[in-house]
Amino acid sequence: MKKNFIFAGLIAAVFSISPVLAAKSKSLDNVQAIEALRTIAPDRFDFAYTGELTGALQKLKEIQPGLAIGRHQGKAVPITVDLTLNQASLYETLKMIAQQAEGVADVVWDGRTAFLRYNASAPKGLDAVRLEAKKWQLGENAQPVLSPEGVLLFPFGQGQPEIVCAPLRACSIQLQQGEVINNVILGDTVRWIPAPAKTGEGPMATPHVIVKPTDKGLTTNLLVTTNRRTYVMTLRSSDTNYSSVVGYYYPYDMVQNWQGEMELAQRKADEESNRKVADMPVVTIDQINLDSYEIVGNKRLPWFPTRVFDDGTHVWIQMPATMHSSEAPALVVLDRSGESQLVNYRVKNAKQGGQDVTYYIVDKLFERAGLIIGVDRDQEKVEIVKKHVQNHTN
């Protein structure tokens, strides 16, 4: 995918965010851009940042003062990035920031200034969570997002997140609503102070783990076990680029819910389908017109109907079992001149006498209809004619 990392102005180049594609297309513009950024930051450096996208560029400027940061273009959309780079160049760092901003903003450098250009149609809030869950479902890496309330949400199950807390300030780690905390295990219990908390009451309360570092520059790990899962995270203290409240979203649960909704919808559709077929015997025998239609055509066809009848509102065409081994014909209604007209019908399977039976169920009564396979000289057709109507076989 392109347009996520753009160099404008005199150098004017657009680069792929894929390292593989970039390696295959070492254009002159790529070389010029790399060399130009190397003059600003000749040495490689470490870069670690978790937080809002705009803060990533500010953090980069703190490390590389020679990089000018310009005002963003377009309406800013909250999006989080989570980066840990070792011995990266300025070019590589900007490129990785662009990769995590994919679909929301472009990282632009005009030869002097780096800035963000936000896309008008970027997903927000819950839409961003759903988008990341879809990416996870497809085997891609889901990214942290900001909730509509401004809470930084990490995708559970996508690696071990690093949470940055401010010294001597409470940092809240929000878990899933209804979850029950069993154990909280903190690596450094001397310089980090943990405490439980919750929002709401009863079985649907939301649990929190509150942690407070006593100084900056501290790193430890935190393990939380609940009645649903085990959380493992890294804690780091810093007086810049920290988060006061973080939480999780759950791609696996969301995908399971989507699949459950699809299965439920399919079950309801199957039940409705079976119910409609099972409704057939509800009418009395004198309401079913069992001998009102004549079937005209080649009886050797594997889809030549077994019988045709109606219940006063629908026409039922029972197909033979041999149709399962052949192409199914299309059904059309024929007018008096023999011209075809489309008609609503359903193909339903039912159990009768322990046997699978297939019906074409037409949603209205008709005088003449045709079951057709093929076109022109290769066409095969069977006509179904109401007996009081004169047959016209083509």
Side-chain angles (χ1 to χ4, degrees), residues 28-220:
L28 176 62
D29 290 331
N30 278 25
V31 174
Q32 287 179 326
I34 293 171
E35 291 301 322
L37 287 170
R38 189 175 294 165
T39 61
I40 298 175
D43 298 325
R44 290 180 171 269
F45 55 93
D46 295 339
F47 183 79
Y49 176 80
T50 299
E52 213 281 322
L53 175 62
T54 55
L57 291 184
Q58 295 298 330
K59 176 70 173 179
L60 188 57
K61 179 173 175 57
E62 293 175 12
I63 299 174
Q64 298 294 343
L67 178 66
I69 305 297
R71 182 179 178 83
H72 69 262
Q73 296 180 357
K75 185 176 180 180
V77 177
I79 178 176
T80 60
V81 294
D82 184 13
L83 289 169
T84 302
L85 304 177
N86 296 318
Q87 293 300 295
S89 67
L90 181 56
Y91 171 87
E92 291 166 346
T93 305
L94 284 170
K95 190 171 182 179
M96 290 304 298
I97 294 173
Q99 182 174 347
Q100 294 206 7
E102 178 182 359
V104 175
D106 296 326
V107 176
V108 183
W109 184 66
D110 62 5
R112 297 176 302 277
T113 304
F115 60 92
L116 297 172
R117 185 171 66 196
Y118 286 92
N119 301 326
S121 59
K124 306 174 184 178
L126 292 178
D127 288 338
V129 170
R130 294 188 186 98
L131 177 62
E132 294 301 322
K134 285 289 186 184
K135 289 168 61 177
W136 182 90
Q137 185 181 21
L138 296 174
E140 302 176 19
N141 287 333
Q143 299 297 331
V145 300
L146 282 181
S147 75
E149 296 79 23
V151 177
L152 175 60
L153 300 177
F154 294 96
F156 180 83
Q158 189 75 65
Q160 180 173 323
E162 181 179 83
I163 299 172
V164 182
C165 303
L168 300 177
R169 290 179 179 270
C171 180
S172 174
I173 303 168
Q174 179 178 302
L175 307 184
Q176 193 176 38
Q177 185 181 41
E179 206 163 14
V180 178
I181 296 176
N182 294 329
N183 296 285
V184 176
I185 303 170
L186 191 59
D188 183 350
T189 57
V190 175
R191 297 178 296 177
W192 292 79
I193 303 172
K198 65 178 181 178
T199 302
E201 296 291 339
M204 295 308 293
T206 300
H208 300 252
V209 176
I210 309 298
V211 292
K212 183 172 69 173
T214 58
D215 200 354
K216 65 180 179 179
L218 306 178
T219 301
T220 190

Side-chain angles (χ1 to χ4, degrees), residues 199-237:
T199 302
E201 296 291 339
M204 295 308 293
T206 300
H208 300 252
V209 176
I210 309 298
V211 292
K212 183 172 69 173
T214 58
D215 200 354
K216 65 180 179 179
L218 306 178
T219 301
T220 190
N221 67 317
L222 175 65
L223 187 147
V224 181
T225 64
T226 74
N227 61 329
R228 296 177 183 171
R229 53 182 67 88
T230 298
Y231 297 84
V232 181
M233 60 202 86
T234 298
L235 301 180
R236 185 167 61 86
S237 63

Side-chain angles (χ1 to χ4, degrees), residues 226-277:
T226 74
N227 61 329
R228 296 177 183 171
R229 53 182 67 88
T230 298
Y231 297 84
V232 181
M233 60 202 86
T234 298
L235 301 180
R236 185 167 61 86
S237 63
S238 174
D239 53 8
T240 60
N241 301 315
Y242 57 83
S243 300
S244 298
V245 183
V246 300
Y248 286 86
Y249 67 96
Y250 304 87
Y252 177 82
D253 290 6
M254 295 176 70
V255 171
Q256 291 297 108
N257 288 339
W258 293 335
Q259 292 175 344
E261 290 171 1
M262 292 174 61
E263 291 172 0
L264 179 61
Q266 184 61 50
R267 283 200 302 270
K268 287 183 176 180
D270 291 343
E271 290 170 1
E272 178 67 9
S273 172
N274 293 334
R275 183 193 67 77
K276 289 181 177 179
V277 172

